[in-house]
Amino acid sequence: QVQLVESGGGLVQPGGSLRLSCAASGSIFSLNFMGWYRQAPGKQRELVATITSGGSINYAESVKGRFTISRVKNTVYLQMNSLKPEDTAVYICTHGAGGRRYWGQGTQVTVSS
């Protein structure tokens, strides 16, 4: 089992910034990926960004140039800049390895004036 603990959500004005963190613990394979998805009310869960243990990164087109994903060992960060109202969603951390996928509880990000 892998446990994921997220932090860093909140309310921010359009154009502002937030940084999300997610720490993984438990039975972690050396080869893995971590990342973030998000789900807005009435919408499907969508990929935001992922990063592998080897450092390969993938971003959704909608966040490229504004969001930066990084990781230190088994903690993944998402630096979100130039936030827009359409970025409002629950952001959910994920960890995958060995054919298994784990999800965090999610943290609310609200972009509003």
Side-chain angles (χ1 to χ4, degrees):
Q1 285 289 330
V2 173
Q3 295 77 43
L4 302 171
V5 178
E6 302 143 324
S7 61
L11 172 65
V12 64
Q13 292 187 341
S17 298
L18 280 175
R19 189 188 194 213
L20 306 182
S21 301
C22 174
S25 61
S27 303
I28 298 173
F29 286 86
S30 58
L31 297 178
N32 62 68
F33 71 90
M34 295 187 70
W36 297 90
Y37 281 66
R38 66 187 181 186
Q39 188 164 18
K43 294 188 177 181
Q44 289 189 329
R45 186 175 294 187
E46 63 176 4
L47 169 75
V48 177
T50 59
I51 182 168
T52 69
S53 50
S56 295
I57 291 173
N58 182 42
Y59 290 106
E61 285 295 327
S62 59
V63 306
K64 281 183 179 178
R66 301 188 297 122
F67 291 10
T68 303
I69 191 169
S70 60
R71 66 184 290 175
V72 176
K73 295 185 178 178
N74 295 314
T75 298
V76 65
Y77 304 93
L78 187 68
Q79 178 67 42
M80 305 185 293
N81 298 328
S82 302
L83 283 161
K84 304 175 182 180
E86 51 263 44
D87 294 318
T88 295
V90 175
Y91 283 69
I92 307 159
C93 179
T94 187
H95 170 90
R100 297 189 176 187
R101 194 73 172 266
Y102 299 91
W103 300 92
Q105 298 276 7
T107 184
Q108 178 70 44
V109 172
T110 302
V111 185
S112 175
S113 55

